[in-house]
Amino acid sequence: MAADTSQKVLFEQDGVFIHSNSNDDCIEQDLLISGSIRVVDKDGEFLVEYRPLEDSVDPSNMLCAGKDSSSVMEWGQSAEERPQQGLETQHSYETEWDMVNAISFKKKTVSNGDGALNHSQERHRWAFTFSVTDLRTITVKVDGWSSLFFKLKDTSISLPLLHFHQGGASEVLDSLRRCAMLSESPEDESCLLVSTVNKTLSQSFENLLDDNNFGLVHKLKKDPYVTTLGGFSKVTNYLYDAFRGAEEQQRPPEETADLLGEADLLGEAIPGLEINHQEEPGFEVITRVDLGVRPDVQRGEPLSPEQWGGHQDPEGRVVDVPHLKQVIFKGGLCHMLRKEVWKFLLGYFPWDSTLEERKAVTRDKTDEYFRMKLQWKSVSEEQERRNAKLRDNRSLIEKDVNRTDRTNRFYEGIDNPGLVLLHDILMTYCMYDFDLGYVQGMSDLLSPLLFVMENEVDAFWCFVSFMDQMHQNFEEQMQGMKTQLVQLSSLLRLLDVNFWNYLESQDSGFLYFCFRWLLIRFKRELSFPDVLRLWEVMWTGLPCQNLHLLVCCSILDSEKQKIMEENYGFNEILKHVNELSMKLDIEEILRRAEAICLQIKGCKDLPHSVSDIMGFNTDQDAAEAPGSEGPEPAERSHSPSPSPAHRGLAFSNGHGHLRESSQNGCKVSFVS
C-alpha cells in the first residue's frame, strides 16, 4: 500500500521570536512574533521551517487529555457536543487521582472580528520554509540572547532575523551540521558558510554514525537497538564498504579472511549468531523437502459491530471465541471496534468475563496504575540525582517521545497532550518492570495502542500485555531476537533454498535487514492503519504461532525474483529492503503468509524443527490427548519447549548448509 510523503523531524524548538519592529532598541510586546523552528527530513531533502505560534497548532483538530489525564477528547468540542462517554469518564473513580496528573489545557476564545483576522494574517506572513541546499550563510549574533540570520542563495528572498529568547540556537546549528557542512567565514567569524554534502553521503551517515571514524560493526556491538532502528534505515555504499571492502568485486584470500573476521564481530553483536567456518565431521543426511503446490487463499471483510454484538450473551460474555478469532484473522476489525476488542485480544479482559466483572477489573487496574505513576511523580530532584537508572530512563523516554509518530495527527504539533500521555505511560512502565526499564523502540509499540485506546490506563495495561509477548526482544542478551533470526533462516531456507543460498553468497545470510521488522513488529515498515490491521491479526494466534515470521517470508518471497534477477549485492539488498518501507500492501502480505502456512502444514516430511517453530507439534500432541479439544489460538504462542528428541538448533555455518542437531548425532540439511 503506497503511503504519503515520509517526513521525519530532526529537531524542533519553540520560543523563537521575530521582532517585526526594525528598531531593536524599542521592542513592544505587540510586535513580537512567537513561533517554532524545526529541521525536518522530507524524503531525503532537509528543510528548515518556521511557523508562528497560531500556525503551529490547529486548535480545532487538537487532541487533548481530559481533566483526569486518562481520556482524550476533541479540543474543539463544546460541553454539549462531547460524547456522553467522555463526560462519564471525567466524573468517574479516576478523578480521585487528579493529583497525579500534570496535563492541563485552556480552551481559547477566538473572535471573528476584523481584528482577529488581521492578527492572524500578520502572523501568517512570517511563516517560511526553505531547503538546506538553498542556504548560503548563517550569521550568528549574541546580544543578551542568540539570534540567527539565514541568507539564501537566491538574493531576492530576504528572511527575518530569528531571536532565541529561551535558548536553542546552538542546537539548531548542531542539527544543521548533520545535513550540511558549516565553516567559519574568513572575513567574518560570526558568519558560517553552508555547503551541502552529497545526498547519498548524508543519508548514509544520518542516524548511523556519530562521526566518520566510528564503524557500523562497532556501533552495532555497542548499541544494536539504536543502530538498527536508525542506522539500517539509511544504508548506502558506506555500509557496503564496511563489510565488503571499498572497491573489490573478487577478493583475494587475505581480504576474505578479514571479511570473515568482521562478520564474526556481527555475530558477537547479536549473541547466538555464531559463524562456523569449518565443516563438522560425521554423518549427514542430505534431503530436499517437497512442499507441494501453494494453495490460493482469500482475505475477508473486517468484523462489523453487528457481528461483534452477536458474539456476546446478555451478561456481556464473549461466545464462540474460535469463530470470532477466525473472522478477525481473515479481515481484521473495523476501527470503531478496536478500542473494545483489542482489550480481549491482548488479554486485558478475559473472553468469558461479564460486563460487571470488566468494570471491576478496570477499577482495580486504574488504582494500580496510578499508584505506580505516583511513585515516579513523587520523586524529588534531589532523589533523582541519586538514581542513575531513573535519570537514564527519563532521558531516553523524553528523547524518543519527541520523535515518535509526529506526523500522525494524534501526536503532531507542539505541547501535544498525546505526547505527555506517551511519556507518562512509558515512565510508569519503568515502575512496573524495574529490571527492563525503558529500551529504545518500546515507544513504537505503545504509540498505536494509545492512539486506539485514547485512554491512559487502558493503553498502559494493553501495552503491558503486548510487552509480555515482546519482552525478550528488548532484554540485554537479545535472546528473543537471536531465536527469531535463526527461526526465520530455517523457514526461508525451507521455502526456497536457491534464494537462501543467494543471500548467503552476498554476505546477507544473517538476515540482519529483517532485524527492525522483528524488533518492533513492522511498525516502521507499514503505514499507520496497516500496522493496526497487522497487529490485531497476529494477536488472534492464527493460523499458527510465529505468524510474524511468515510475514517476513511473505515480503521476501514477493521480492526475491527482483533481487536475484537484478543480481543485487550486499548493499543493494539492504537498500532495496529499506525502500520497501511504506510501500507494502498489508492485505497481499497476509494473504501470502497464510498461503505459506498452509503449504508448510500440508508437507508430509516436514522437519521437526520447522514444526516446532510453527507450533504444529503442539497442535498435534494436544489433538491426540484424550478428551482434548486443542489449545486456543492465543495460547499457541506460549507453547512449551519441544521434547528432547525433537529439540535442535538450526544455524548457518557460512557455507550454505543448515543443520538440525539431534540426540543420535545425525545431521539433516536442505541443500540444492
Side-chain angles (χ1 to χ4, degrees), residues 366-405:
T366 298
D367 289 341
E368 185 178 355
Y369 172 78
F370 281 112
R371 276 194 293 270
M372 289 186 291
K373 183 174 181 179
L374 184 59
Q375 291 173 2
W376 65 268
K377 278 280 193 178
S378 60
V379 173
S380 66
E381 292 184 5
E382 185 177 353
Q383 286 177 301
E384 189 165 332
R385 283 197 296 268
R386 296 190 295 269
N387 192 330
K389 187 168 185 178
L390 180 61
R391 291 197 310 271
D392 293 344
N393 283 330
R394 188 190 295 273
S395 176
L396 278 175
I397 289 171
E398 290 175 352
K399 180 187 296 185
D400 279 6
V401 162
N402 285 326
R403 59 191 182 190
T404 298
D405 292 327

Side-chain angles (χ1 to χ4, degrees), residues 2-175:
D4 297 336
T5 301
S6 174
Q7 179 171 294
K8 176 182 178 183
V9 178
L10 303 180
F11 175 80
E12 189 168 11
Q13 172 73 39
D14 55 4
V16 182
F17 292 82
I18 294 176
H19 299 174
S20 58
N21 187 346
S22 59
N23 183 1
D24 290 339
D25 295 331
C26 182
I27 301 176
E28 301 177 20
Q29 183 65 29
D30 291 340
L31 298 179
L32 289 180
I33 307 297
S34 174
S36 65
I37 187 173
R38 65 179 187 168
V39 181
V40 300
D41 178 357
K42 190 173 183 180
D43 286 341
E45 181 182 10
F46 298 97
L47 305 175
V48 177
E49 300 178 348
Y50 178 82
R51 292 291 180 270
L53 187 58
E54 277 77 3
D55 293 336
S56 301
V57 179
D58 182 2
S60 64
N61 294 332
M62 188 66 171
L63 289 165
C64 336
K67 177 183 177 183
D68 59 1
S69 170
S70 63
S71 60
V72 178
M73 63 192 71
E74 290 288 345
W75 174 288
Q77 292 176 329
S78 65
E80 293 79 10
E81 294 171 334
R82 289 173 188 157
Q84 185 65 28
Q85 180 182 358
L87 293 174
E88 291 175 355
T89 303
Q90 289 192 49
H91 299 291
S92 70
Y93 46 84
E94 297 173 5
T95 55
E96 57 192 66
W97 288 102
D98 284 347
M99 57 174 288
V100 184
N101 301 300
I103 300 179
S104 61
F105 67 91
K106 183 182 295 183
K107 187 174 179 181
K108 298 180 180 179
T109 57
V110 179
S111 170
N112 293 326
D114 295 337
L117 181 61
N118 293 337
H119 183 68
S120 176
Q121 290 176 342
E122 169 69 16
R123 291 183 175 272
H124 180 71
R125 73 185 183 90
W126 294 106
F128 61 81
T129 301
F130 62 83
S131 173
V132 174
T133 57
D134 297 328
L135 187 59
R136 180 184 296 276
T137 62
I138 305 174
T139 302
V140 183
K141 297 182 178 180
V142 180
D143 185 13
W145 57 74
S146 298
S147 303
L148 297 180
F149 176 69
F150 297 101
K151 184 176 182 181
L152 303 182
K153 296 176 182 177
D154 185 351
T155 56
S156 65
I157 301 176
S158 179
L159 300 177
L161 184 66
L162 299 182
H163 299 263
F164 292 78
H165 292 185
Q166 302 173 12
S170 60
E171 287 78 3
V172 172
L173 296 177
D174 289 340
S175 67

Side-chain angles (χ1 to χ4, degrees), residues 244 501-509 512 567-570 573:
R244 300 191 64 174
N501 285 335
Y502 179 84
L503 293 177
E504 282 273 290
S505 70
Q506 301 301 324
D507 304 318
S508 299
Y512 34 74
N567 197 29
Y568 283 168
F570 176 90
I573 293 173

Side-chain angles (χ1 to χ4, degrees), residues 562-579:
K562 182 177 181 64
I563 290 174
M564 291 193 291
E565 286 183 352
E566 298 291 335
N567 197 29
Y568 283 168
F570 176 90
N571 175 70
E572 291 83 6
I573 293 173
L574 287 167
K575 183 174 184 292
H576 178 72
V577 171
N578 175 63
E579 290 176 347

Side-chain angles (χ1 to χ4, degrees), residues 567-614:
N567 197 29
Y568 283 168
F570 176 90
N571 175 70
E572 291 83 6
I573 293 173
L574 287 167
K575 183 174 184 292
H576 178 72
V577 171
N578 175 63
E579 290 176 347
L580 296 176
S581 178
M582 301 301 161
K583 299 177 182 177
L584 299 169
D585 184 342
I586 188 58
E587 293 300 326
E588 173 59 26
I589 290 172
L590 289 172
R591 185 197 64 77
R592 191 188 299 263
E594 182 183 0
I596 292 174
C597 176
L598 296 176
Q599 182 186 25
I600 294 176
K601 193 170 187 178
C603 177
K604 297 180 179 179
D605 301 318
L606 195 64
H608 288 299
S609 61
V610 176
S611 295
D612 292 338
I613 294 171
M614 307 291 288

Side-chain angles (χ1 to χ4, degrees), residues 439-592:
V439 180
Q440 287 186 299
M442 288 165 57
S443 62
D444 281 288
L445 300 183
L446 173 59
S447 171
L449 296 172
L450 180 58
F451 172 83
V452 168
M453 295 299 157
E454 298 182 302
N455 180 287
E456 182 177 8
V457 175
D458 291 343
F460 173 81
W461 290 111
C462 287
F463 178 64
V464 166
S465 297
F466 196 14
M467 280 301 300
D468 286 344
Q469 303 175 27
M470 305 290 292
H471 200 279
Q472 284 192 321
N473 282 15
F474 297 96
E475 292 172 359
E476 185 175 358
Q477 297 302 317
M478 291 186 292
Q479 181 62 41
M481 294 305 303
K482 174 186 68 175
T483 301
Q484 290 172 86
L485 286 170
V486 172
Q487 291 175 336
L488 179 58
S489 180
S490 301
L491 292 174
L492 195 60
R493 184 163 176 77
L494 173 70
L495 291 170
D496 193 328
V497 67
N498 292 327
F499 178 53
W500 193 89
N501 285 335
Y502 179 84
L503 293 177
E504 282 273 290
S505 70
Q506 301 301 324
D507 304 318
S508 299
F510 295 108
L511 306 178
Y512 34 74
F513 49 80
C514 298
F515 195 98
R516 189 175 68 182
W517 295 2
L518 300 172
L519 181 67
I520 52 176
R521 290 297 188 267
F522 308 93
K523 169 62 169 53
R524 299 192 185 181
E525 320 310 320
L526 302 170
S527 65
F528 206 84
D530 284 358
V531 171
L532 307 184
R533 176 56 45 82
L534 173 64
W535 286 7
E536 64 198 14
V537 168
M538 290 194 302
W539 292 336
T540 65
L542 297 174
C544 61
Q545 69 181 32
N546 289 319
L547 175 63
H548 63 287
L549 298 181
L550 295 185
V551 171
C552 294
C553 293
S554 173
I555 297 173
L556 295 175
D557 186 70
S558 65
E559 301 299 324
K560 65 182 180 182
Q561 183 175 355
K562 182 177 181 64
I563 290 174
M564 291 193 291
E565 286 183 352
E566 298 291 335
N567 197 29
Y568 283 168
F570 176 90
N571 175 70
E572 291 83 6
I573 293 173
L574 287 167
K575 183 174 184 292
H576 178 72
V577 171
N578 175 63
E579 290 176 347
L580 296 176
S581 178
M582 301 301 161
K583 299 177 182 177
L584 299 169
D585 184 342
I586 188 58
E587 293 300 326
E588 173 59 26
I589 290 172
L590 289 172
R591 185 197 64 77
R592 191 188 299 263

Side-chain angles (χ1 to χ4, degrees), residues 217-376:
V217 175
H218 297 87
K219 187 171 180 64
L220 182 62
K221 289 186 65 179
K222 181 179 179 182
D223 196 338
Y225 294 105
V226 177
T227 308
T228 298
L229 291 174
F232 283 166
S233 65
K234 299 288 183 181
V235 173
T236 59
N237 287 329
Y238 304 94
L239 176 59
Y240 175 75
D241 296 341
F243 280 96
R244 300 191 64 174
E247 299 177 353
E248 77 281 15
Q249 293 297 324
Q250 294 184 348
R251 311 179 197 88
E254 62 274 13
E255 293 186 6
T256 302
D258 292 338
L259 174 63
L260 293 175
E262 288 187 322
D264 282 333
L265 289 177
L266 181 62
E268 294 173 11
I270 305 178
L273 295 185
E274 298 87 356
I275 305 172
N276 179 7
H277 303 302
Q278 300 294 330
E279 294 288 353
E280 291 188 10
F283 177 70
E284 286 189 341
V285 179
I286 307 299
T287 65
R288 176 187 288 273
V289 177
D290 182 10
L291 293 176
V293 179
R294 184 175 299 173
D296 184 30
V297 299
Q298 299 298 324
R299 298 285 297 158
E301 295 296 323
L303 182 74
S304 67
E306 293 76 19
Q307 289 174 299
W308 172 243
H311 278 81
Q312 298 181 57
D313 67 13
E315 293 184 329
R317 298 181 184 87
V318 181
V319 298
D320 199 1
V321 176
H323 176 263
L324 183 66
K325 288 185 176 180
Q326 183 66 30
V327 175
I328 297 173
F329 168 73
K330 277 293 190 179
L333 297 161
C334 67
H335 186 70
M336 65 183 300
L337 290 178
R338 285 181 171 135
K339 185 182 299 187
E340 183 176 4
V341 181
W342 277 22
K343 298 173 187 177
F344 291 92
L345 289 173
L346 286 166
Y348 180 29
F349 289 153
W351 292 98
D352 59 353
S353 61
T354 65
L355 181 60
E356 291 302 317
E357 289 171 342
R358 293 196 289 272
K359 288 181 179 179
V361 168
T362 302
R363 284 193 295 271
D364 293 341
K365 291 296 186 181
T366 298
D367 289 341
E368 185 178 355
Y369 172 78
F370 281 112
R371 276 194 293 270
M372 289 186 291
K373 183 174 181 179
L374 184 59
Q375 291 173 2
W376 65 268

